[in-house]
C-alpha cells in the first residue's frame, strides 16, 4: 500500500473548521483514500473515504486533489468531542484489504 | 445494531497464563479482523477472516498467538503462554466484505500481563 504523510498534531478552535491534510504522492489508480479517527480509549471510527471525487457525509468532507497526490479532511464545525487522532489511509481494493494505520494527526479542539 | 462486541474489556493476568479474548462481529458481516495497539508499534493488523476462514495471519507475532472463528458470530484470539510484552489493547473489527467495505471496530480489550 502507498504510504501517507500527516502532520503529527494540529489545534483548532471550537466552532471553526478543522482542515487535516494528508499527502499520498505514490497512490495508485485503484487505491482509495480512507479516513478514520480514534478518540482516546476507544476503537477507531470510520469517517469517510473516496477515490477521486470529493465526498461529503454527515461527519466530514473529503477533498482529493486532481492528481490524487494529496487530500484534506474537513470537519466543518469542530467540537470538543472531535479531539482525536485522525488517520489517513490509502487502501488497495480487490485484494487482501489491510488497513495500515500510520501515526496520524492528533487534533486538539480548544475552547 | 449493537456494533462489534468484545470481552472482556480489561484483563490482567500473570506471565505464563493463557488469555482468551472474544469478539462478536456485527450481524451479517462476513469479515473479521484482529488488531493490536501499543505505544511503540501503533495499530497493527494481526489476522483477518473472510466467511470464517483465516485469509492472512502474517501479522500474528508468533506461535503463542492463535485465532479461531468457529462460526459467523464469534471469534477468539488466544495467547498461550502470555508474556509481559503482549500487554496492549486488542481490537476486533468487522466489515460486510473484506476487500472494500468499511471496517467497524469494537471497544477493545486492554490486556496487562504482569
Amino acid at each position: 500500500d502507498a504510504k501517507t504523510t500527516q502532520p503529527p498534531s494540529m489545534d483548532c478552535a471550537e466552532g471553526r473548521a478543522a482542515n487535516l491534510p494528508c499527502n499520498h504522492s505514490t497512490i495508485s489508480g485503484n487505491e482509495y483514500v480512507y479516513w478514520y479517527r480514534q478518540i482516546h480509549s476507544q476503537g477507531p471510527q470510520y469517517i469517510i473515504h473516496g477515490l477521486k471525487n470529493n465526498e461529503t457525509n454527515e461527519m466530514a468532507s473529503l477533498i482529493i486533489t486532481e492528481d490524487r497526490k494529496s487530500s484534506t479532511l474537513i470537519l466543518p464545525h469542530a467540537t470538543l468531542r472531535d479531539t482525536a487522532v485522525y488517520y489517513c489511509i490509502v487502501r488497495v481494493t480487490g485484494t487482501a484489504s489491510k488497513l495500515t494505520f500510520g501515526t496520524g494527526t492528533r487534533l486538539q479542539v480548544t475552547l | 445494531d449493537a456494533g462489534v462486541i468484545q470481552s472482556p474489556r480489561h484483563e490482567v493476568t500473570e506471565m505464563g497464563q493463557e488469555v482468551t479474548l472474544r469478539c462478536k462481529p456485527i450481524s451479517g458481516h462476513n469479515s473479521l479482523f484482529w488488531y493490536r495497539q501499543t505505544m511503540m508499534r501503533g495499530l497493527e493488523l494481526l489476522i483477518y477472516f473472510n466467511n470464517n476462514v483465516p485469509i492472512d495471519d502474517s501479522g500474528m507475532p508468533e506461535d503463542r498467538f492463535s485465532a479461531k472463528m468457529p462460526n459467523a458470530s464469534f471469534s477468539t484470539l488466544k495467547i498461550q503462554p502470555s508474556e509481559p510484552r503482549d500487554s496492549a489493547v486488542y481490537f476486533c473489527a468487522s466489515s460486510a466484505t473484506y476487500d472494500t467495505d468499511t471496517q467497524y471496530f469494537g471497544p477493545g480489550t486492554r490486556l496487562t500481563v504482569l
Side-chain angles (χ1 to χ4, degrees):
Chain A
D1 286 5
K3 293 184 178 179
T4 61
T5 304
Q6 299 178 252
S9 64
M10 294 182 63
D11 292 331
C12 179
E14 189 176 35
R16 306 297 293 268
N19 297 285
L20 292 90
C22 179
N23 287 321
H24 30 79
S25 59
T26 59
I27 193 170
S28 298
N30 65 343
E31 292 178 320
Y32 284 75
V33 179
Y34 276 75
W35 284 83
Y36 278 75
R37 74 179 182 184
Q38 188 173 22
I39 296 170
H40 182 61
S41 298
Q42 297 183 20
Q45 177 189 23
Y46 166 80
I47 301 173
I48 198 167
H49 75 281
L51 183 62
K52 59 177 73 174
N53 297 321
N54 298 337
E55 302 287 345
T56 296
N57 62 21
E58 65 279 4
M59 290 182 67
S61 294
L62 174 60
I63 308 299
I64 302 174
T65 58
E66 191 169 345
D67 62 8
R68 303 211 320 126
K69 292 185 177 182
S70 66
S71 60
T72 300
L73 178 74
I74 301 172
L75 307 179
H77 305 287
T79 70
L80 296 178
R81 288 179 295 180
D82 292 321
T83 293
V85 177
Y86 287 76
Y87 297 98
C88 170
I89 301 166
V90 172
R91 183 182 185 189
V92 175
T93 61
T95 62
S97 187
K98 299 181 181 182
L99 283 178
T100 303
F101 288 81
T103 54
T105 295
R106 184 172 297 277
L107 176 67
Q108 179 69 51
V109 181
T110 58
L111 291 172
Chain B
D1 198 317
V4 175
I5 299 172
Q6 292 187 246
S7 64
R9 294 294 309 278
H10 301 272
E11 177 80 32
V12 180
T13 190
E14 293 188 346
M15 183 175 62
Q17 297 297 306
E18 177 179 296
V19 175
T20 299
L21 311 181
R22 297 172 176 80
C23 175
K24 177 179 170 56
I26 293 172
S27 177
H29 280 188
N30 295 322
S31 299
L32 183 140
F33 307 79
W34 282 101
Y35 291 83
R36 178 175 67 175
Q37 186 170 35
T38 62
M39 289 293 293
M40 291 296 294
R41 300 176 64 88
L43 198 59
E44 308 172 277
L45 177 66
L46 300 178
I47 185 172
Y48 73 95
F49 296 82
N50 189 52
N51 293 325
N52 311 337
V53 176
I55 302 300
D56 184 348
D57 65 354
S58 60
M60 296 286 263
E62 49 197 272
D63 292 345
R64 297 184 298 105
F65 286 70
S66 63
K68 294 182 179 180
M69 192 165 186
N71 57 62
S73 59
F74 184 66
S75 177
T76 60
L77 178 67
K78 184 176 295 185
I79 309 172
Q80 167 63 20
S82 58
E83 297 183 2
R85 59 189 168 131
D86 301 331
S87 296
V89 181
Y90 290 82
F91 290 103
C92 176
S94 72
S95 66
T97 63
Y98 77 94
D99 59 347
T100 57
D101 281 308
T102 300
Q103 293 182 22
Y104 295 88
F105 284 74
T109 295
R110 181 173 296 277
L111 173 65
T112 302
V113 183
L114 302 174

